[in-house]
Amino acid sequence: MENTNEQNREMTAQESLSLITETLNSSRREITRRSSKYYILWGALLTLFSLLVYLLWKLTEKEAWCCLWFAMPVIGYLLARLLGRKDTAVHVQNDVSRITHGIWTSFGIFACAVAAFTLIFSMLGTNIIRTLFSVAGLSAELVLIFGLAECACGVALKNWTIKVAGFITGIGGLAIYYILGLGYEQMFIFTFAGLVLMATGLLVKRQYR
Amino acid sequence: MHSELRLAIMSLLAGVDEADFTYLKEQTGATSGNLSVQIDKLSEAGYISVEKGFRGKMPRTVCRITPQGTEAFRAYVKALRKYIAAGK
């Protein structure tokens, strides 16, 4: 749309239909493009926290350092709010943005609930509950639902990069879990997930530049 | 709705709950003056609602498609498809 006269002209039926299709798709592209910075932010946080917990756990040999993970959603939420402030001048929301927001919020609630249950019940020590919420299986559970959430976002945004990244995170993370075992090395699952998330954000940003 | 810019505004608003002036300007590539004129025309026709307010200290104009606008947009797309199909 180069100039005012050009923009105010009447179009042929075919041109009109093409413009409508193109414009409707542009909203989805814009929302996907904006989500990329949050992928980079959460990916970076995930990587940093996993390495921090890994180091502290390894150095002190205390897995209690895993409690540090509970600080990540708080820090991430505050940083995301700060990042979102830049969007105040340009505001757009639709069903797709609401769905993706809902998916990640649900993931956050599920992840915190599973981690909290694991922490509480592992301290209480009932056998059946220990099996259900075993500390050993927690990383595998979390990386699977993380991959699922990422994949679901890819489906909502109709973006193959995000969909594939979700599969890589979930299945790849699970593979790392079985290869590396149950010690502090399992933190590398989240380093992997964080790196994949950051790479996804950078790729999506590049796609819609 | 026949003009390119008006149709672009309607298509953009049909795909979102609401959009502010800056977003519409960014997406259509229109000048502020021209965009304002076309928004007023669509608003006068009852196709969109315009809400002027502030976000912090910054003035902000938010546009939404009305039920009447949605209906008109659907009818327009249907008519376009019918016209194109008849021509084939």
Side-chain angles (χ1 to χ4, degrees):
Chain A
M1 289 185 209
E2 293 80 19
N3 60 51
T4 306
N5 290 334
E6 180 74 10
Q7 285 183 329
N8 294 336
R9 75 183 171 96
E10 292 192 5
M11 295 177 293
T12 65
Q14 193 61 57
E15 281 175 336
S16 298
L17 210 56
S18 303
L19 176 74
I20 291 167
T21 313
E22 173 59 26
T23 316
L24 284 171
N25 285 335
S26 76
S27 302
R28 188 185 300 274
R29 279 201 304 270
E30 178 63 16
I31 286 164
T32 311
R33 188 185 67 79
R34 285 183 188 196
S35 68
S36 65
K37 62 182 174 189
Y38 297 102
Y39 280 59
I40 297 168
L41 168 72
W42 285 101
L45 273 176
L46 198 55
T47 309
L48 284 174
F49 266 81
S50 62
L51 292 174
L52 183 68
V53 174
Y54 165 79
L55 279 173
L56 293 169
W57 187 351
K58 191 181 178 184
L59 292 172
T60 61
E61 293 190 349
K62 284 178 184 163
E63 62 181 318
W65 285 110
C66 286
C67 289
L68 267 180
W69 281 111
F70 286 107
M72 197 188 88
V74 181
I75 295 170
Y77 176 77
L78 292 172
L79 288 175
R81 291 274 299 208
L82 212 66
L83 209 61
R85 278 191 180 181
K86 284 186 179 173
D87 285 337
T88 50
V90 183
H91 172 77
V92 63
Q93 194 181 38
N94 68 4
D95 286 342
V96 179
S97 62
R98 264 194 304 275
I99 290 168
T100 52
H101 185 257
I103 290 169
W104 285 115
T105 307
S106 309
F107 163 74
I109 294 168
F110 273 100
C112 288
V114 171
F117 273 126
T118 307
L119 190 72
I120 294 164
F121 289 119
S122 64
M123 286 191 291
L124 292 177
T126 313
N127 283 340
I128 301 163
I129 295 169
R130 255 181 188 246
T131 314
L132 276 174
F133 299 103
S134 117
V135 179
L138 182 61
S139 298
E141 287 161 15
L142 288 178
V143 83
L144 266 179
I145 58 168
F146 184 84
L148 184 68
E150 197 173 348
C151 198
C153 277
V155 173
L157 293 164
K158 291 187 181 171
N159 184 295
W160 272 99
T161 310
I162 303 173
K163 263 189 264 186
V164 172
F167 282 113
I168 292 173
T169 305
I171 298 166
L174 202 62
I176 294 173
Y177 173 79
Y178 283 114
I179 293 166
L180 294 181
L182 310 174
Y184 43 74
E185 295 89 353
Q186 65 181 294
M187 286 302 117
F188 288 134
I189 296 171
F190 301 111
T191 314
F192 170 74
L195 291 173
V196 172
L197 196 63
M198 269 200 290
T200 309
L202 291 169
L203 278 172
V204 168
K205 199 174 176 182
R206 206 174 155 183
Q207 273 174 358
Y208 298 106
R209 194 162 45 188
Chain B
M1 223 184 288
H2 299 299
S3 97
E4 188 173 348
L5 183 53
R6 281 200 295 275
L7 187 59
I9 297 167
M10 287 298 285
S11 310
L12 278 168
L13 292 176
V16 298
D17 299 339
E18 58 179 38
D20 64 15
F21 190 85
T22 318
Y23 177 74
L24 292 173
K25 193 173 168 233
E26 214 174 66
Q27 294 295 309
T28 58
T31 60
S32 299
N34 195 19
L35 186 61
S36 289
V37 171
Q38 303 309 328
I39 284 175
D40 284 345
K41 281 186 184 175
L42 289 168
S43 176
E44 279 163 23
Y47 289 169
I48 64 169
S49 67
V50 181
E51 195 184 299
K52 293 191 180 193
F54 285 88
R55 191 165 212 175
K57 286 178 182 173
M58 298 289 284
R60 186 166 167 257
T61 304
V62 178
C63 302
R64 289 180 196 90
I65 194 163
T66 61
Q68 189 189 338
T70 307
E71 199 47 52
F73 184 70
R74 275 190 193 143
Y76 187 75
V77 173
K78 202 174 167 186
L80 279 177
R81 284 195 175 136
K82 207 172 166 185
Y83 179 80
I84 291 166
K88 280 181 184 171

